[in-house]
mmCIF file with all atom_site columns, all heavy atoms in Angstrom:
data_model
loop_
_atom_site.group_PDB
_atom_site.id
_atom_site.type_symbol
_atom_site.label_atom_id
_atom_site.label_alt_id
_atom_site.label_comp_id
_atom_site.label_asym_id
_atom_site.label_entity_id
_atom_site.label_seq_id
_atom_site.pdbx_PDB_ins_code
_atom_site.Cartn_x
_atom_site.Cartn_y
_atom_site.Cartn_z
_atom_site.occupancy
_atom_site.B_iso_or_equiv
_atom_site.pdbx_formal_charge
_atom_site.auth_seq_id
_atom_site.auth_comp_id
_atom_site.auth_asym_id
_atom_site.auth_atom_id
_atom_site.pdbx_PDB_model_num
ATOM 1  N N   . PHE A 1 111 ? 23.504 -37.565 -5.836  1.00 89.00 ? 111 PHE A N   1
ATOM 2  C CA  . PHE A 1 111 ? 23.264 -38.725 -6.688  1.00 89.00 ? 111 PHE A CA  1
ATOM 3  C C   . PHE A 1 111 ? 21.791 -39.115 -6.757  1.00 89.00 ? 111 PHE A C   1
ATOM 4  O O   . PHE A 1 111 ? 21.397 -39.881 -7.633  1.00 89.00 ? 111 PHE A O   1
ATOM 5  C CB  . PHE A 1 111 ? 24.187 -39.893 -6.310  1.00 89.00 ? 111 PHE A CB  1
ATOM 6  C CG  . PHE A 1 111 ? 25.406 -39.894 -7.185  1.00 89.00 ? 111 PHE A CG  1
ATOM 7  C CD1 . PHE A 1 111 ? 26.403 -38.954 -6.988  1.00 89.00 ? 111 PHE A CD1 1
ATOM 8  C CD2 . PHE A 1 111 ? 25.523 -40.758 -8.251  1.00 89.00 ? 111 PHE A CD2 1
ATOM 9  C CE1 . PHE A 1 111 ? 27.506 -38.890 -7.822  1.00 89.00 ? 111 PHE A CE1 1
ATOM 10 C CE2 . PHE A 1 111 ? 26.616 -40.712 -9.101  1.00 89.00 ? 111 PHE A CE2 1
ATOM 11 C CZ  . PHE A 1 111 ? 27.617 -39.781 -8.888  1.00 89.00 ? 111 PHE A CZ  1
ATOM 12 N N   . GLU A 1 112 ? 20.967 -38.553 -5.901  1.00 92.00 ? 112 GLU A N   1
ATOM 13 C CA  . GLU A 1 112 ? 19.528 -38.613 -6.151  1.00 92.00 ? 112 GLU A CA  1
ATOM 14 C C   . GLU A 1 112 ? 19.208 -37.839 -7.427  1.00 92.00 ? 112 GLU A C   1
ATOM 15 O O   . GLU A 1 112 ? 18.368 -38.257 -8.233  1.00 92.00 ? 112 GLU A O   1
ATOM 16 C CB  . GLU A 1 112 ? 18.753 -38.001 -4.988  1.00 92.00 ? 112 GLU A CB  1
ATOM 17 C CG  . GLU A 1 112 ? 18.488 -38.934 -3.830  1.00 92.00 ? 112 GLU A CG  1
ATOM 18 C CD  . GLU A 1 112 ? 17.651 -38.262 -2.763  1.00 92.00 ? 112 GLU A CD  1
ATOM 19 O OE1 . GLU A 1 112 ? 18.203 -37.441 -2.004  1.00 92.00 ? 112 GLU A OE1 1
ATOM 20 O OE2 . GLU A 1 112 ? 16.437 -38.558 -2.686  1.00 92.00 ? 112 GLU A OE2 1
ATOM 21 N N   . ALA A 1 113 ? 19.868 -36.703 -7.600  1.00 93.00 ? 113 ALA A N   1
ATOM 22 C CA  . ALA A 1 113 ? 19.663 -35.915 -8.816  1.00 93.00 ? 113 ALA A CA  1
ATOM 23 C C   . ALA A 1 113 ? 20.124 -36.696 -10.043 1.00 93.00 ? 113 ALA A C   1
ATOM 24 O O   . ALA A 1 113 ? 19.474 -36.666 -11.095 1.00 93.00 ? 113 ALA A O   1
ATOM 25 C CB  . ALA A 1 113 ? 20.416 -34.591 -8.710  1.00 93.00 ? 113 ALA A CB  1
ATOM 26 N N   . GLN A 1 114 ? 21.247 -37.405 -9.921  1.00 93.00 ? 114 GLN A N   1
ATOM 27 C CA  . GLN A 1 114 ? 21.706 -38.246 -11.031 1.00 93.00 ? 114 GLN A CA  1
ATOM 28 C C   . GLN A 1 114 ? 20.693 -39.357 -11.315 1.00 93.00 ? 114 GLN A C   1
ATOM 29 O O   . GLN A 1 114 ? 20.442 -39.700 -12.481 1.00 93.00 ? 114 GLN A O   1
ATOM 30 C CB  . GLN A 1 114 ? 23.078 -38.845 -10.710 1.00 93.00 ? 114 GLN A CB  1
ATOM 31 C CG  . GLN A 1 114 ? 24.209 -37.846 -10.558 1.00 93.00 ? 114 GLN A CG  1
ATOM 32 C CD  . GLN A 1 114 ? 24.676 -37.245 -11.862 1.00 93.00 ? 114 GLN A CD  1
ATOM 33 O OE1 . GLN A 1 114 ? 24.280 -37.663 -12.941 1.00 93.00 ? 114 GLN A OE1 1
ATOM 34 N NE2 . GLN A 1 114 ? 25.533 -36.234 -11.774 1.00 93.00 ? 114 GLN A NE2 1
ATOM 35 N N   . ALA A 1 115 ? 20.103 -39.904 -10.250 1.00 94.00 ? 115 ALA A N   1
ATOM 36 C CA  . ALA A 1 115 ? 19.081 -40.938 -10.424 1.00 94.00 ? 115 ALA A CA  1
ATOM 37 C C   . ALA A 1 115 ? 17.849 -40.365 -11.128 1.00 94.00 ? 115 ALA A C   1
ATOM 38 O O   . ALA A 1 115 ? 17.268 -41.007 -12.009 1.00 94.00 ? 115 ALA A O   1
ATOM 39 C CB  . ALA A 1 115 ? 18.699 -41.540 -9.076  1.00 94.00 ? 115 ALA A CB  1
ATOM 40 N N   . LEU A 1 116 ? 17.442 -39.161 -10.753 1.00 94.00 ? 116 LEU A N   1
ATOM 41 C CA  . LEU A 1 116 ? 16.329 -38.504 -11.438 1.00 94.00 ? 116 LEU A CA  1
ATOM 42 C C   . LEU A 1 116 ? 16.639 -38.343 -12.923 1.00 94.00 ? 116 LEU A C   1
ATOM 43 O O   . LEU A 1 116 ? 15.755 -38.510 -13.777 1.00 94.00 ? 116 LEU A O   1
ATOM 44 C CB  . LEU A 1 116 ? 16.049 -37.136 -10.812 1.00 94.00 ? 116 LEU A CB  1
ATOM 45 C CG  . LEU A 1 116 ? 15.516 -37.115 -9.373  1.00 94.00 ? 116 LEU A CG  1
ATOM 46 C CD1 . LEU A 1 116 ? 15.502 -35.681 -8.845  1.00 94.00 ? 116 LEU A CD1 1
ATOM 47 C CD2 . LEU A 1 116 ? 14.123 -37.721 -9.279  1.00 94.00 ? 116 LEU A CD2 1
ATOM 48 N N   . ALA A 1 117 ? 17.888 -38.047 -13.232 1.00 94.00 ? 117 ALA A N   1
ATOM 49 C CA  . ALA A 1 117 ? 18.285 -37.825 -14.623 1.00 94.00 ? 117 ALA A CA  1
ATOM 50 C C   . ALA A 1 117 ? 18.182 -39.099 -15.453 1.00 94.00 ? 117 ALA A C   1
ATOM 51 O O   . ALA A 1 117 ? 17.735 -39.067 -16.604 1.00 94.00 ? 117 ALA A O   1
ATOM 52 C CB  . ALA A 1 117 ? 19.709 -37.269 -14.685 1.00 94.00 ? 117 ALA A CB  1
ATOM 53 N N   . ILE A 1 118 ? 18.582 -40.234 -14.880 1.00 94.00 ? 118 ILE A N   1
ATOM 54 C CA  . ILE A 1 118 ? 18.597 -41.460 -15.691 1.00 94.00 ? 118 ILE A CA  1
ATOM 55 C C   . ILE A 1 118 ? 17.208 -42.057 -15.866 1.00 94.00 ? 118 ILE A C   1
ATOM 56 O O   . ILE A 1 118 ? 17.025 -42.993 -16.649 1.00 94.00 ? 118 ILE A O   1
ATOM 57 C CB  . ILE A 1 118 ? 19.560 -42.523 -15.108 1.00 94.00 ? 118 ILE A CB  1
ATOM 58 C CG1 . ILE A 1 118 ? 19.077 -43.037 -13.752 1.00 94.00 ? 118 ILE A CG1 1
ATOM 59 C CG2 . ILE A 1 118 ? 20.972 -41.975 -15.033 1.00 94.00 ? 118 ILE A CG2 1
ATOM 60 C CD1 . ILE A 1 118 ? 19.860 -44.240 -13.246 1.00 94.00 ? 118 ILE A CD1 1
ATOM 61 N N   . ALA A 1 119 ? 16.211 -41.502 -15.181 1.00 92.00 ? 119 ALA A N   1
ATOM 62 C CA  . ALA A 1 119 ? 14.840 -41.982 -15.381 1.00 92.00 ? 119 ALA A CA  1
ATOM 63 C C   . ALA A 1 119 ? 14.378 -41.748 -16.813 1.00 92.00 ? 119 ALA A C   1
ATOM 64 O O   . ALA A 1 119 ? 13.604 -42.547 -17.362 1.00 92.00 ? 119 ALA A O   1
ATOM 65 C CB  . ALA A 1 119 ? 13.887 -41.291 -14.401 1.00 92.00 ? 119 ALA A CB  1
ATOM 66 N N   . GLY A 1 120 ? 14.854 -40.667 -17.416 1.00 87.00 ? 120 GLY A N   1
ATOM 67 C CA  . GLY A 1 120 ? 14.384 -40.352 -18.758 1.00 87.00 ? 120 GLY A CA  1
ATOM 68 C C   . GLY A 1 120 ? 15.491 -39.970 -19.716 1.00 87.00 ? 120 GLY A C   1
ATOM 69 O O   . GLY A 1 120 ? 15.243 -39.254 -20.687 1.00 87.00 ? 120 GLY A O   1
ATOM 70 N N   . ILE A 1 121 ? 16.694 -40.454 -19.465 1.00 90.00 ? 121 ILE A N   1
ATOM 71 C CA  . ILE A 1 121 ? 17.822 -40.049 -20.307 1.00 90.00 ? 121 ILE A CA  1
ATOM 72 C C   . ILE A 1 121 ? 17.682 -40.646 -21.708 1.00 90.00 ? 121 ILE A C   1
ATOM 73 O O   . ILE A 1 121 ? 17.296 -41.800 -21.885 1.00 90.00 ? 121 ILE A O   1
ATOM 74 C CB  . ILE A 1 121 ? 19.161 -40.459 -19.656 1.00 90.00 ? 121 ILE A CB  1
ATOM 75 C CG1 . ILE A 1 121 ? 20.310 -39.733 -20.328 1.00 90.00 ? 121 ILE A CG1 1
ATOM 76 C CG2 . ILE A 1 121 ? 19.349 -41.974 -19.682 1.00 90.00 ? 121 ILE A CG2 1
ATOM 77 C CD1 . ILE A 1 121 ? 21.603 -39.806 -19.547 1.00 90.00 ? 121 ILE A CD1 1
#
Side-chain angles (χ1 to χ4, degrees):
F111 265 74
E112 276 183 283
Q114 296 287 351
L116 293 171
I118 66 171
I121 195 166

